[in-house]
PDB file of all heavy atoms in Angstrom:
ATOM      1  N   ILE A 217      44.851 100.691  98.581  1.00  0.00           N
ATOM      2  CA  ILE A 217      44.552 100.685 100.003  1.00  0.00           C
ATOM      3  C   ILE A 217      44.562 102.106 100.608  1.00  0.00           C
ATOM      4  O   ILE A 217      43.670 102.438 101.349  1.00  0.00           O
ATOM      5  CB  ILE A 217      45.554  99.785 100.720  1.00  0.00           C
ATOM      6  CG1 ILE A 217      45.350  98.329 100.153  1.00  0.00           C
ATOM      7  CG2 ILE A 217      45.423  99.858 102.201  1.00  0.00           C
ATOM      8  CD1 ILE A 217      46.336  97.366 100.594  1.00  0.00           C
ATOM      9  N   PRO A 242      38.375  94.278  90.131  1.00  0.00           N
ATOM     10  CA  PRO A 242      37.982  92.972  89.936  1.00  0.00           C
ATOM     11  C   PRO A 242      36.838  92.599  90.975  1.00  0.00           C
ATOM     12  O   PRO A 242      36.687  93.247  91.942  1.00  0.00           O
ATOM     13  CB  PRO A 242      39.220  92.214  90.253  1.00  0.00           C
ATOM     14  CG  PRO A 242      40.082  93.020  91.069  1.00  0.00           C
ATOM     15  CD  PRO A 242      39.653  94.452  90.728  1.00  0.00           C
ATOM     16  N   GLY A 244      36.705  89.824  92.659  1.00  0.00           N
ATOM     17  CA  GLY A 244      37.186  89.051  93.727  1.00  0.00           C
ATOM     18  C   GLY A 244      38.738  89.565  94.142  1.00  0.00           C
ATOM     19  O   GLY A 244      39.083  90.700  93.802  1.00  0.00           O
ATOM     20  N   ALA A 245      39.428  88.632  94.743  1.00  0.00           N
ATOM     21  CA  ALA A 245      40.779  88.976  95.269  1.00  0.00           C
ATOM     22  C   ALA A 245      41.807  88.712  94.017  1.00  0.00           C
ATOM     23  O   ALA A 245      42.506  87.620  94.163  1.00  0.00           O
ATOM     24  CB  ALA A 245      41.116  88.122  96.408  1.00  0.00           C
ATOM     25  N   GLU A 246      41.810  89.519  93.153  1.00  0.00           N
ATOM     26  CA  GLU A 246      42.633  89.336  91.930  1.00  0.00           C
ATOM     27  C   GLU A 246      43.665  90.490  91.793  1.00  0.00           C
ATOM     28  O   GLU A 246      43.186  91.626  92.014  1.00  0.00           O
ATOM     29  CB  GLU A 246      41.760  89.300  90.561  1.00  0.00           C
ATOM     30  CG  GLU A 246      40.824  88.044  90.614  1.00  0.00           C
ATOM     31  CD  GLU A 246      41.502  86.742  90.666  1.00  0.00           C
ATOM     32  OE1 GLU A 246      42.637  86.584  90.163  1.00  0.00           O
ATOM     33  OE2 GLU A 246      40.932  85.790  91.172  1.00  0.00           O
ATOM     34  N   PRO A 247      44.779  90.310  91.336  1.00  0.00           N
ATOM     35  CA  PRO A 247      45.723  91.366  91.099  1.00  0.00           C
ATOM     36  C   PRO A 247      45.232  92.325  90.115  1.00  0.00           C
ATOM     37  O   PRO A 247      44.575  91.941  89.125  1.00  0.00           O
ATOM     38  CB  PRO A 247      47.063  90.782  90.672  1.00  0.00           C
ATOM     39  CG  PRO A 247      46.978  89.232  91.093  1.00  0.00           C
ATOM     40  CD  PRO A 247      45.391  88.949  91.037  1.00  0.00           C
ATOM     41  N   ARG A 248      45.542  93.688  90.214  1.00  0.00           N
ATOM     42  CA  ARG A 248      45.164  94.812  89.386  1.00  0.00           C
ATOM     43  C   ARG A 248      46.338  95.176  88.531  1.00  0.00           C
ATOM     44  O   ARG A 248      47.346  95.326  89.097  1.00  0.00           O
ATOM     45  CB  ARG A 248      44.451  95.842  89.995  1.00  0.00           C
ATOM     46  CG  ARG A 248      43.161  95.576  90.683  1.00  0.00           C
ATOM     47  CD  ARG A 248      42.543  96.811  91.239  1.00  0.00           C
ATOM     48  NE  ARG A 248      43.250  97.461  92.345  1.00  0.00           N
ATOM     49  CZ  ARG A 248      43.785  98.622  92.159  1.00  0.00           C
ATOM     50  NH1 ARG A 248      43.964  99.293  91.061  1.00  0.00           N
ATOM     51  NH2 ARG A 248      44.397  99.178  93.215  1.00  0.00           N
ATOM     52  N   GLY A 254      51.657  94.222  92.850  1.00  0.00           N
ATOM     53  CA  GLY A 254      50.658  93.439  93.435  1.00  0.00           C
ATOM     54  C   GLY A 254      50.882  91.821  93.496  1.00  0.00           C
ATOM     55  O   GLY A 254      50.336  91.164  94.365  1.00  0.00           O
ATOM     56  N   HIS A 258      53.947  90.902 100.122  1.00  0.00           N
ATOM     57  CA  HIS A 258      53.336  91.874 100.968  1.00  0.00           C
ATOM     58  C   HIS A 258      53.144  91.306 102.339  1.00  0.00           C
ATOM     59  O   HIS A 258      52.701  90.131 102.644  1.00  0.00           O
ATOM     60  CB  HIS A 258      51.930  92.476 100.476  1.00  0.00           C
ATOM     61  CG  HIS A 258      52.140  93.368  99.256  1.00  0.00           C
ATOM     62  ND1 HIS A 258      52.301  92.826  98.063  1.00  0.00           N
ATOM     63  CD2 HIS A 258      52.041  94.652  99.214  1.00  0.00           C
ATOM     64  CE1 HIS A 258      52.448  93.887  97.274  1.00  0.00           C
ATOM     65  NE2 HIS A 258      52.173  94.941  97.996  1.00  0.00           N
ATOM     66  N   LEU A 260      51.597  92.597 106.335  1.00  0.00           N
ATOM     67  CA  LEU A 260      50.876  93.687 107.113  1.00  0.00           C
ATOM     68  C   LEU A 260      51.525  93.653 108.432  1.00  0.00           C
ATOM     69  O   LEU A 260      51.296  92.832 109.265  1.00  0.00           O
ATOM     70  CB  LEU A 260      49.397  93.334 107.195  1.00  0.00           C
ATOM     71  CG  LEU A 260      48.611  94.329 107.972  1.00  0.00           C
ATOM     72  CD1 LEU A 260      48.701  95.793 107.253  1.00  0.00           C
ATOM     73  CD2 LEU A 260      47.068  93.938 108.025  1.00  0.00           C
ATOM     74  N   PHE A 275      38.555  94.158 111.382  1.00  0.00           N
ATOM     75  CA  PHE A 275      39.205  93.793 110.097  1.00  0.00           C
ATOM     76  C   PHE A 275      40.122  92.652 110.171  1.00  0.00           C
ATOM     77  O   PHE A 275      40.122  91.700 109.255  1.00  0.00           O
ATOM     78  CB  PHE A 275      39.813  94.952 109.455  1.00  0.00           C
ATOM     79  CG  PHE A 275      40.492  94.706 108.079  1.00  0.00           C
ATOM     80  CD1 PHE A 275      39.721  94.700 106.993  1.00  0.00           C
ATOM     81  CD2 PHE A 275      41.799  94.306 107.939  1.00  0.00           C
ATOM     82  CE1 PHE A 275      40.236  94.485 105.740  1.00  0.00           C
ATOM     83  CE2 PHE A 275      42.208  94.134 106.754  1.00  0.00           C
ATOM     84  CZ  PHE A 275      41.498  94.096 105.669  1.00  0.00           C
ATOM     85  N   THR A 276      41.008  92.717 111.129  1.00  0.00           N
ATOM     86  CA  THR A 276      42.031  91.581 111.267  1.00  0.00           C
ATOM     87  C   THR A 276      41.314  90.276 111.374  1.00  0.00           C
ATOM     88  O   THR A 276      41.934  89.213 110.984  1.00  0.00           O
ATOM     89  CB  THR A 276      43.113  91.889 112.208  1.00  0.00           C
ATOM     90  OG1 THR A 276      42.592  92.127 113.440  1.00  0.00           O
ATOM     91  CG2 THR A 276      44.015  93.136 111.784  1.00  0.00           C
ATOM     92  N   GLU A 278      38.574  89.421 110.296  1.00  0.00           N
ATOM     93  CA  GLU A 278      38.059  89.104 108.886  1.00  0.00           C
ATOM     94  C   GLU A 278      39.132  88.623 108.052  1.00  0.00           C
ATOM     95  O   GLU A 278      38.910  87.605 107.358  1.00  0.00           O
ATOM     96  CB  GLU A 278      37.352  90.397 108.380  1.00  0.00           C
ATOM     97  CG  GLU A 278      36.675  90.078 107.042  1.00  0.00           C
ATOM     98  CD  GLU A 278      36.006  91.341 106.482  1.00  0.00           C
ATOM     99  OE1 GLU A 278      36.010  92.333 107.137  1.00  0.00           O
ATOM    100  OE2 GLU A 278      35.527  91.245 105.368  1.00  0.00           O
ATOM    101  N   LEU A 279      40.341  89.278 108.157  1.00  0.00           N
ATOM    102  CA  LEU A 279      41.477  88.875 107.319  1.00  0.00           C
ATOM    103  C   LEU A 279      41.924  87.377 107.755  1.00  0.00           C
ATOM    104  O   LEU A 279      42.093  86.490 106.947  1.00  0.00           O
ATOM    105  CB  LEU A 279      42.545  89.712 107.623  1.00  0.00           C
ATOM    106  CG  LEU A 279      43.872  89.693 106.749  1.00  0.00           C
ATOM    107  CD1 LEU A 279      43.552  89.939 105.350  1.00  0.00           C
ATOM    108  CD2 LEU A 279      44.846  90.611 107.175  1.00  0.00           C
ATOM    109  N   ALA A 280      41.943  87.127 109.036  1.00  0.00           N
ATOM    110  CA  ALA A 280      42.294  85.673 109.502  1.00  0.00           C
ATOM    111  C   ALA A 280      41.276  84.894 108.977  1.00  0.00           C
ATOM    112  O   ALA A 280      41.660  83.623 108.619  1.00  0.00           O
ATOM    113  CB  ALA A 280      42.541  85.773 110.954  1.00  0.00           C
ATOM    114  N   ALA A 281      40.016  85.083 109.119  1.00  0.00           N
ATOM    115  CA  ALA A 281      38.948  84.190 108.694  1.00  0.00           C
ATOM    116  C   ALA A 281      39.007  83.775 107.219  1.00  0.00           C
ATOM    117  O   ALA A 281      38.585  82.918 106.664  1.00  0.00           O
ATOM    118  CB  ALA A 281      37.576  84.861 109.012  1.00  0.00           C
ATOM    119  N   ALA A 282      39.598  84.844 106.471  1.00  0.00           N
ATOM    120  CA  ALA A 282      39.724  84.636 104.999  1.00  0.00           C
ATOM    121  C   ALA A 282      40.938  83.795 104.668  1.00  0.00           C
ATOM    122  O   ALA A 282      41.201  83.518 103.489  1.00  0.00           O
ATOM    123  CB  ALA A 282      39.791  85.887 104.242  1.00  0.00           C
ATOM    124  N   GLY A 283      41.737  83.313 105.702  1.00  0.00           N
ATOM    125  CA  GLY A 283      42.801  82.394 105.508  1.00  0.00           C
ATOM    126  C   GLY A 283      44.142  83.034 105.452  1.00  0.00           C
ATOM    127  O   GLY A 283      45.187  82.333 105.159  1.00  0.00           O
ATOM    128  N   ALA A 284      44.177  84.308 105.659  1.00  0.00           N
ATOM    129  CA  ALA A 284      45.572  84.968 105.710  1.00  0.00           C
ATOM    130  C   ALA A 284      46.424  84.420 106.853  1.00  0.00           C
ATOM    131  O   ALA A 284      46.007  84.520 107.990  1.00  0.00           O
ATOM    132  CB  ALA A 284      45.398  86.446 105.757  1.00  0.00           C
ATOM    133  N   PRO A 285      47.592  83.949 106.509  1.00  0.00           N
ATOM    134  CA  PRO A 285      48.545  83.334 107.560  1.00  0.00           C
ATOM    135  C   PRO A 285      48.982  84.457 108.456  1.00  0.00           C
ATOM    136  O   PRO A 285      49.278  85.537 108.055  1.00  0.00           O
ATOM    137  CB  PRO A 285      49.632  82.760 106.749  1.00  0.00           C
ATOM    138  CG  PRO A 285      49.149  82.590 105.355  1.00  0.00           C
ATOM    139  CD  PRO A 285      48.194  83.692 105.136  1.00  0.00           C
ATOM    140  N   ARG A 286      49.048  84.136 109.764  1.00  0.00           N
ATOM    141  CA  ARG A 286      49.535  84.951 110.741  1.00  0.00           C
ATOM    142  C   ARG A 286      50.859  84.382 111.287  1.00  0.00           C
ATOM    143  O   ARG A 286      50.815  83.313 111.783  1.00  0.00           O
ATOM    144  CB  ARG A 286      48.535  85.062 111.931  1.00  0.00           C
ATOM    145  CG  ARG A 286      49.020  86.199 112.940  1.00  0.00           C
ATOM    146  CD  ARG A 286      47.747  86.341 113.900  1.00  0.00           C
ATOM    147  NE  ARG A 286      47.915  87.354 114.956  1.00  0.00           N
ATOM    148  CZ  ARG A 286      48.252  86.853 116.209  1.00  0.00           C
ATOM    149  NH1 ARG A 286      48.345  85.651 116.582  1.00  0.00           N
ATOM    150  NH2 ARG A 286      48.534  87.958 117.102  1.00  0.00           N
ATOM    151  N   TYR A 312      50.789  89.461 109.005  1.00  0.00           N
ATOM    152  CA  TYR A 312      49.955  88.713 108.112  1.00  0.00           C
ATOM    153  C   TYR A 312      50.654  88.704 106.754  1.00  0.00           C
ATOM    154  O   TYR A 312      51.107  89.731 106.323  1.00  0.00           O
ATOM    155  CB  TYR A 312      48.545  89.495 108.002  1.00  0.00           C
ATOM    156  CG  TYR A 312      47.655  89.059 109.101  1.00  0.00           C
ATOM    157  CD1 TYR A 312      47.430  89.876 110.193  1.00  0.00           C
ATOM    158  CD2 TYR A 312      46.906  87.924 109.122  1.00  0.00           C
ATOM    159  CE1 TYR A 312      46.557  89.725 111.247  1.00  0.00           C
ATOM    160  CE2 TYR A 312      46.084  87.573 110.281  1.00  0.00           C
ATOM    161  CZ  TYR A 312      45.980  88.402 111.252  1.00  0.00           C
ATOM    162  OH  TYR A 312      45.206  88.072 112.329  1.00  0.00           O
ATOM    163  N   THR A 313      50.617  87.551 106.191  1.00  0.00           N
ATOM    164  CA  THR A 313      51.497  87.405 104.866  1.00  0.00           C
ATOM    165  C   THR A 313      50.575  87.002 103.702  1.00  0.00           C
ATOM    166  O   THR A 313      51.187  86.638 102.687  1.00  0.00           O
ATOM    167  CB  THR A 313      52.589  86.438 105.120  1.00  0.00           C
ATOM    168  OG1 THR A 313      51.984  85.115 105.307  1.00  0.00           O
ATOM    169  CG2 THR A 313      53.468  86.762 106.269  1.00  0.00           C
ATOM    170  N   GLY A 314      49.349  87.202 103.778  1.00  0.00           N
ATOM    171  CA  GLY A 314      48.475  86.762 102.595  1.00  0.00           C
ATOM    172  C   GLY A 314      48.722  87.741 101.525  1.00  0.00           C
ATOM    173  O   GLY A 314      49.489  88.746 101.535  1.00  0.00           O
ATOM    174  N   SER A 315      48.165  87.500 100.392  1.00  0.00           N
ATOM    175  CA  SER A 315      48.336  88.280  99.133  1.00  0.00           C
ATOM    176  C   SER A 315      47.907  89.670  99.290  1.00  0.00           C
ATOM    177  O   SER A 315      46.943  89.955 100.038  1.00  0.00           O
ATOM    178  CB  SER A 315      47.585  87.526  97.979  1.00  0.00           C
ATOM    179  OG  SER A 315      46.377  87.648  98.037  1.00  0.00           O
ATOM    180  N   ARG A 316      48.492  90.571  98.547  1.00  0.00           N
ATOM    181  CA  ARG A 316      48.050  91.981  98.533  1.00  0.00           C
ATOM    182  C   ARG A 316      46.650  92.069  98.014  1.00  0.00           C
ATOM    183  O   ARG A 316      45.756  92.799  98.360  1.00  0.00           O
ATOM    184  CB  ARG A 316      48.946  92.777  97.676  1.00  0.00           C
ATOM    185  CG  ARG A 316      48.519  94.128  97.007  1.00  0.00           C
ATOM    186  CD  ARG A 316      48.126  95.170  98.121  1.00  0.00           C
ATOM    187  NE  ARG A 316      47.771  96.371  97.580  1.00  0.00           N
ATOM    188  CZ  ARG A 316      48.433  97.489  97.327  1.00  0.00           C
ATOM    189  NH1 ARG A 316      49.767  97.436  97.650  1.00  0.00           N
ATOM    190  NH2 ARG A 316      47.968  98.499  96.843  1.00  0.00           N
ATOM    191  N   ALA A 317      46.356  91.231  96.935  1.00  0.00           N
ATOM    192  CA  ALA A 317      45.054  91.162  96.349  1.00  0.00           C
ATOM    193  C   ALA A 317      43.834  90.850  97.338  1.00  0.00           C
ATOM    194  O   ALA A 317      42.870  91.420  97.246  1.00  0.00           O
ATOM    195  CB  ALA A 317      45.009  90.251  95.093  1.00  0.00           C
ATOM    196  N   GLN A 318      44.137  89.901  98.164  1.00  0.00           N
ATOM    197  CA  GLN A 318      43.202  89.454  99.161  1.00  0.00           C
ATOM    198  C   GLN A 318      42.888  90.621 100.140  1.00  0.00           C
ATOM    199  O   GLN A 318      41.698  91.002 100.368  1.00  0.00           O
ATOM    200  CB  GLN A 318      43.537  88.293 100.029  1.00  0.00           C
ATOM    201  CG  GLN A 318      42.642  87.835 100.953  1.00  0.00           C
ATOM    202  CD  GLN A 318      43.157  86.895 101.951  1.00  0.00           C
ATOM    203  OE1 GLN A 318      44.096  87.265 102.659  1.00  0.00           O
ATOM    204  NE2 GLN A 318      42.656  85.710 102.029  1.00  0.00           N
ATOM    205  N   LEU A 319      43.945  91.229 100.606  1.00  0.00           N
ATOM    206  CA  LEU A 319      43.735  92.304 101.708  1.00  0.00           C
ATOM    207  C   LEU A 319      43.101  93.544 101.073  1.00  0.00           C
ATOM    208  O   LEU A 319      42.106  94.085 101.691  1.00  0.00           O
ATOM    209  CB  LEU A 319      45.099  92.759 102.281  1.00  0.00           C
ATOM    210  CG  LEU A 319      45.020  93.613 103.432  1.00  0.00           C
ATOM    211  CD1 LEU A 319      46.120  93.316 104.500  1.00  0.00           C
ATOM    212  CD2 LEU A 319      45.115  95.132 102.972  1.00  0.00           C
ATOM    213  N   GLU A 320      43.468  93.909  99.901  1.00  0.00           N
ATOM    214  CA  GLU A 320      42.773  95.036  99.166  1.00  0.00           C
ATOM    215  C   GLU A 320      41.392  94.785  98.946  1.00  0.00           C
ATOM    216  O   GLU A 320      40.485  95.669  99.085  1.00  0.00           O
ATOM    217  CB  GLU A 320      43.512  95.320  97.893  1.00  0.00           C
ATOM    218  CG  GLU A 320      43.097  96.594  97.257  1.00  0.00           C
ATOM    219  CD  GLU A 320      43.805  97.121  96.005  1.00  0.00           C
ATOM    220  OE1 GLU A 320      44.953  97.251  96.123  1.00  0.00           O
ATOM    221  OE2 GLU A 320      43.267  97.218  94.897  1.00  0.00           O
ATOM    222  N   HIS A 321      41.108  93.446  98.555  1.00  0.00           N
ATOM    223  CA  HIS A 321      39.683  93.078  98.197  1.00  0.00           C
ATOM    224  C   HIS A 321      38.730  93.327  99.495  1.00  0.00           C
ATOM    225  O   HIS A 321      37.682  93.857  99.368  1.00  0.00           O
ATOM    226  CB  HIS A 321      39.580  91.727  97.695  1.00  0.00           C
ATOM    227  CG  HIS A 321      38.235  91.161  97.577  1.00  0.00           C
ATOM    228  ND1 HIS A 321      37.300  91.528  96.702  1.00  0.00           N
ATOM    229  CD2 HIS A 321      37.556  90.168  98.402  1.00  0.00           C
ATOM    230  CE1 HIS A 321      36.083  90.952  96.845  1.00  0.00           C
ATOM    231  NE2 HIS A 321      36.259  89.968  97.898  1.00  0.00           N
ATOM    232  N   LEU A 322      39.253  92.880 100.584  1.00  0.00           N
ATOM    233  CA  LEU A 322      38.462  92.970 101.881  1.00  0.00           C
ATOM    234  C   LEU A 322      38.361  94.429 102.298  1.00  0.00           C
ATOM    235  O   LEU A 322      37.321  94.771 102.755  1.00  0.00           O
ATOM    236  CB  LEU A 322      39.250  92.181 102.904  1.00  0.00           C
ATOM    237  CG  LEU A 322      39.351  90.681 102.816  1.00  0.00           C
ATOM    238  CD1 LEU A 322      40.164  90.072 103.879  1.00  0.00           C
ATOM    239  CD2 LEU A 322      37.927  90.108 102.793  1.00  0.00           C
ATOM    240  N   VAL A 323      39.348  95.240 102.001  1.00  0.00           N
ATOM    241  CA  VAL A 323      39.269  96.670 102.429  1.00  0.00           C
ATOM    242  C   VAL A 323      38.162  97.375 101.563  1.00  0.00           C
ATOM    243  O   VAL A 323      37.374  98.027 101.885  1.00  0.00           O
ATOM    244  CB  VAL A 323      40.605  97.454 102.297  1.00  0.00           C
ATOM    245  CG1 VAL A 323      40.468  98.960 102.391  1.00  0.00           C
ATOM    246  CG2 VAL A 323      41.576  96.919 103.415  1.00  0.00           C
ATOM    247  N   ARG A 324      38.303  96.911 100.162  1.00  0.00           N
ATOM    248  CA  ARG A 324      37.427  97.645  99.112  1.00  0.00           C
ATOM    249  C   ARG A 324      36.004  97.266  99.501  1.00  0.00           C
ATOM    250  O   ARG A 324      35.043  98.091  99.546  1.00  0.00           O
ATOM    251  CB  ARG A 324      37.837  97.091  97.773  1.00  0.00           C
ATOM    252  CG  ARG A 324      37.039  97.811  96.659  1.00  0.00           C
ATOM    253  CD  ARG A 324      37.734  97.408  95.368  1.00  0.00           C
ATOM    254  NE  ARG A 324      37.833  96.074  95.050  1.00  0.00           N
ATOM    255  CZ  ARG A 324      38.954  95.426  94.851  1.00  0.00           C
ATOM    256  NH1 ARG A 324      40.079  96.116  94.968  1.00  0.00           N
ATOM    257  NH2 ARG A 324      38.884  94.132  94.588  1.00  0.00           N
ATOM    258  N   ALA A 325      35.726  96.108  99.909  1.00  0.00           N
ATOM    259  CA  ALA A 325      34.305  95.545 100.154  1.00  0.00           C
ATOM    260  C   ALA A 325      33.843  96.462 101.469  1.00  0.00           C
ATOM    261  O   ALA A 325      32.634  96.970 101.351  1.00  0.00           O
ATOM    262  CB  ALA A 325      34.306  94.179 100.399  1.00  0.00           C
ATOM    263  N   PRO A 442      54.176  82.322 103.449  1.00  0.00           N
ATOM    264  CA  PRO A 442      52.938  81.633 103.183  1.00  0.00           C
ATOM    265  C   PRO A 442      51.879  82.446 102.616  1.00  0.00           C
ATOM    266  O   PRO A 442      51.732  83.647 103.079  1.00  0.00           O
ATOM    267  CB  PRO A 442      52.583  80.984 104.550  1.00  0.00           C
ATOM    268  CG  PRO A 442      53.114  81.899 105.526  1.00  0.00           C
ATOM    269  CD  PRO A 442      54.416  82.522 104.945  1.00  0.00           C
ATOM    270  N   LEU A 443      51.032  81.945 101.821  1.00  0.00           N
ATOM    271  CA  LEU A 443      49.746  82.575 101.243  1.00  0.00           C
ATOM    272  C   LEU A 443      48.544  82.029 101.791  1.00  0.00           C
ATOM    273  O   LEU A 443      48.592  81.004 102.364  1.00  0.00           O
ATOM    274  CB  LEU A 443      49.819  82.682  99.675  1.00  0.00           C
ATOM    275  CG  LEU A 443      50.978  83.308  99.002  1.00  0.00           C
ATOM    276  CD1 LEU A 443      50.905  83.210  97.557  1.00  0.00           C
ATOM    277  CD2 LEU A 443      50.856  84.810  99.312  1.00  0.00           C
ATOM    278  N   GLU A 444      47.465  82.665 101.534  1.00  0.00           N
ATOM    279  CA  GLU A 444      46.094  82.322 102.124  1.00  0.00           C
ATOM    280  C   GLU A 444      45.635  80.953 101.561  1.00  0.00           C
ATOM    281  O   GLU A 444      44.726  80.344 102.215  1.00  0.00           O
ATOM    282  CB  GLU A 444      45.048  83.358 101.960  1.00  0.00           C
ATOM    283  CG  GLU A 444      44.755  83.669 100.550  1.00  0.00           C
ATOM    284  CD  GLU A 444      45.573  84.651  99.923  1.00  0.00           C
ATOM    285  OE1 GLU A 444      46.551  85.147 100.532  1.00  0.00           O
ATOM    286  OE2 GLU A 444      45.255  85.203  98.811  1.00  0.00           O
ATOM    287  N   ASP A 445      46.119  80.521 100.460  1.00  0.00           N
ATOM    288  CA  ASP A 445      45.646  79.349  99.808  1.00  0.00           C
ATOM    289  C   ASP A 445      46.451  78.116  99.996  1.00  0.00           C
ATOM    290  O   ASP A 445      46.347  77.012  99.291  1.00  0.00           O
ATOM    291  CB  ASP A 445      45.325  79.571  98.365  1.00  0.00           C
ATOM    292  CG  ASP A 445      46.527  80.110  97.551  1.00  0.00           C
ATOM    293  OD1 ASP A 445      47.675  80.019  98.192  1.00  0.00           O
ATOM    294  OD2 ASP A 445      46.449  80.381  96.465  1.00  0.00           O
ATOM    295  N   GLY A 446      47.462  78.185 100.931  1.00  0.00           N
ATOM    296  CA  GLY A 446      48.263  77.029 101.167  1.00  0.00           C
ATOM    297  C   GLY A 446      49.587  77.045 100.382  1.00  0.00           C
ATOM    298  O   GLY A 446      50.475  76.255 100.492  1.00  0.00           O
ATOM    299  N   MET A 533      51.655  98.995 103.225  1.00  0.00           N
ATOM    300  CA  MET A 533      50.327  98.928 103.575  1.00  0.00           C
ATOM    301  C   MET A 533      49.959  99.377 105.066  1.00  0.00           C
ATOM    302  O   MET A 533      49.075 100.017 105.375  1.00  0.00           O
ATOM    303  CB  MET A 533      49.885  97.398 103.520  1.00  0.00           C
ATOM    304  CG  MET A 533      49.871  96.904 102.023  1.00  0.00           C
ATOM    305  SD  MET A 533      49.014  95.221 101.869  1.00  0.00           S
ATOM    306  CE  MET A 533      49.926  94.214 103.050  1.00  0.00           C
TER     307      MET A 533
END
Side-chain angles (χ1 to χ4, degrees):
I217 294 171
E246 300 295 330
R248 296 189 291 110
H258 283 76
L260 181 61
F275 181 83
T276 55
E278 184 179 356
L279 187 62
R286 185 171 181 258
Y312 279 100
T313 65
S315 68
R316 159 66 180 259
Q318 182 198 59
L319 190 143
E320 185 175 305
H321 170 67
L322 294 175
V323 170
R324 185 166 60 242
L443 296 175
E444 63 270 11
D445 55 7
M533 297 192 300

